[in-house]
Amino acid sequence: MHLSRTITGLTGGGSDGWDLFLKARRMRTEGVAVIELTIGEHDIPTAPAILDAMHRAAVGGHTGYASVPGTPALRQTVARRVAERTGVPTTAANVIITPGGQAGLFAAHAATCDAGDRALYIDPYYATYPGTIRAVGAVPVAVPTRSRDAFQPDPAQIAARAGGARSLLINSPNNPTGVVYSRKVLEGIAGACIDHDLWLISDEVYDTQVWEGAHVSPRALDGMAERTLVVGSMSKSHAMTGSRCGWIVGPEAAIAHLIGLATHTTYGVPGYIQDAAVFALNQGAELEHDIAAPFRRRRQIALGVLQGQNVVRAIPAGGAMYVMLDIRATGLSGEDFADRLLDSHHIAVMPGESFGQAAAGHVRVAMTVDDAALKTALTRLVAFAQEIAP
Ligand code: PLP
């Protein structure tokens, strides 16, 4: 039977680095002690107090269809949090709750792009981005960044590709690079969006993981609230990846249409999950800080291991749970480096190429194992790089 080009063409046919991930998993089931630095997921489960709140809500009967836009309590809580963090007036009418940030990314592109429209995104990118754009029938157009600019986007590169485009997708703090976009860069991006009448889709799921500098939400920049859709999520800030709870914040008219889209697609997010999210968000910044703390600590450990040698260079980065390493001095591609490191030293890292051509010759390290394992893994990685460097 025929299957649509939309679903058969989503991934563009590449392996997206999953080959390496699956190989590492296979080695583990065969008893090899692989240290996995691949997946962007905390090494702790959701906090018991959040699970208690979820359980209370479910046992209390919040198990039927929940309000499609999100419960009033969660929409208000998200609106308050966003207003407090950014200073932009935000009400529940500016918020729709989605089943995770990924569903928000899809809905935001569905809201802004028609079939055949060009949709820009920054390379290197979170692995789902081009497929998410293709999923709404739009055409993904990569805007490259450079390792030597610490992967900060160049507004001129955006402007050069903006003709006929409807949207630009950015992500700060960034996966895979860990880079936090500077205010100046974000102002340049905002200028390019205004000049070329682009929607800005700002993926801010790592907004609580900032180690250096400050997180600036571009929705707060002049003239941007009316053309920005912010995608947020409970996944990274509250270690609730499996709960599938996120949101989009944007202009009321766009949110009203997004509610229409949700009515015809997801039909909302379970009420007991939303109640748990309200509970979690009401714990305030302290809980978010505690959940982010291991990554802040491990980043220091990583930088400590990497200092005093010049074969492996860390990209100067200030956020998220990743460190991007430039391994071009070894003469290998990111893919070959990752593959050989896994075979010979049983360390799994993601090849940079799986996040776009701009990250070729790099590997991404997810700091999602305990401190001692991270130190061991990076020590072995550096030793391996030094062995093979010409
Ligand atoms: N955006 C980025 C940059 C991510 O790294 C992820 C997950 O790793 C997501 C969005 C999706 O997160 P979720 O759907 O769990 O909210």
Side-chain angles (χ1 to χ4, degrees):
M1 284 301 291
H2 173 76
L3 289 168
S4 73
R5 276 193 297 278
T6 307
I7 67 158
T8 54
L10 274 190
T11 59
S15 80
D16 290 345
W18 292 110
D19 288 352
L20 186 124
F21 171 76
L22 294 172
K23 182 172 167 183
R25 283 282 150 102
R26 221 169 29 244
M27 286 169 73
R28 268 179 101 142
T29 53
E30 286 160 6
V32 183
V34 175
I35 304 181
E36 284 188 45
L37 309 172
T38 47
I39 281 259
E41 182 157 33
H42 317 70
D43 47 329
I44 50 158
T46 304
I50 299 175
L51 296 178
D52 284 346
M54 202 181 286
H55 183 247
R56 272 197 310 278
V59 171
H62 208 173
T63 51
Y65 291 125
S67 163
V68 171
T71 62
L74 183 54
R75 293 176 82 195
Q76 276 155 18
T77 305
V78 170
R80 200 165 46 240
R81 179 174 184 268
V82 168
E84 278 168 15
R85 291 173 70 102
T86 65
V88 185
T90 307
T91 71
N94 298 114
V95 179
I96 179 171
I97 305 304
T98 61
Q102 180 57 45
L105 290 168
F106 171 80
H109 283 93
T112 53
C113 297
D114 286 310
D117 282 343
R118 287 154 59 88
L120 309 184
Y121 65 103
I122 307 292
D123 179 355
Y125 52 85
Y126 172 50
T128 67
Y129 281 4
T132 305
I133 291 169
R134 286 190 204 103
V136 305
V139 180
V141 177
V143 180
T145 58
R146 297 186 302 191
S147 178
R148 66 169 179 273
D149 300 333
F151 294 115
Q152 296 269 351
D154 175 357
Q157 295 286 336
I158 295 167
R161 289 162 181 78
R166 291 268 181 225
S167 62
L168 166 66
L169 170 58
I170 63 168
N171 169 223
S172 175
N174 186 267
N175 177 11
T177 62
V179 170
V180 177
Y181 294 175
S182 69
R183 176 175 284 276
K184 186 161 170 272
V185 162
L186 286 166
E187 283 170 353
I189 289 173
C193 288
I194 291 169
D195 290 349
H196 297 276
D197 199 20
L198 300 178
W199 278 96
L200 182 62
I201 300 173
S202 179
D203 178 344
E204 301 181 22
V205 304
Y206 293 99
D207 67 348
T208 60
Q209 299 182 4
V210 178
W211 328 128
E212 264 175 38
H215 171 67
V216 176
S217 176
R219 180 168 173 264
L221 301 178
D222 277 354
M224 289 307 287
E226 68 216 45
R227 60 172 66 249
T228 304
L229 296 174
V230 174
V231 174
S233 171
M234 297 299 291
S235 288
K236 315 291 177 176
S237 58
H238 291 82
M240 290 178 70
T241 48
S243 291
R244 312 311 304 134
C245 188
W247 52 80
I248 302 173
V249 177
E252 268 188 56
I255 297 296
H257 286 293
L258 281 161
I259 293 168
L261 179 67
T263 305
H264 295 88
T265 52
T266 59
Y267 215 74
V269 173
Y272 53 92
I273 300 280
Q274 296 193 62
D275 289 350
V278 170
F279 171 87
L281 289 169
N282 282 338
Q283 302 312 296
E286 201 180 327
L287 176 61
E288 297 177 9
H289 178 87
D290 289 351
I291 290 169
F295 305 118
R296 179 189 295 272
R297 195 175 64 232
R298 290 171 194 160
R299 174 172 174 270
Q300 284 312 120
I301 294 171
L303 296 182
V305 173
L306 294 166
Q307 75 187 11
Q309 53 82 44
N310 52 16
V311 181
V312 179
R313 182 181 72 95
I315 299 304
M321 47 176 82
Y322 313 100
V323 194
M324 190 69 131
L325 302 177
D326 180 349
I327 49 85
R328 286 174 294 179
T330 64
L332 294 187
S333 67
E335 270 159 4
D336 288 343
F337 183 91
D339 205 44
R340 285 179 56 181
L341 181 69
L342 179 57
D343 284 341
S344 60
H345 290 70
H346 306 156
I347 310 292
V349 294
M350 291 297 275
E353 290 82 359
S354 51
F355 306 103
Q357 273 318 298
H362 294 66
V363 294
R364 187 195 74 172
V365 171
M367 300 182 287
T368 48
V369 295
D370 67 52
D371 298 14
L374 181 71
K375 192 166 182 186
T376 305
L378 286 175
T379 307
R380 281 193 221 162
L381 182 152
V382 170
F384 169 68
Q386 285 171 332
E387 275 161 36
I388 59 172

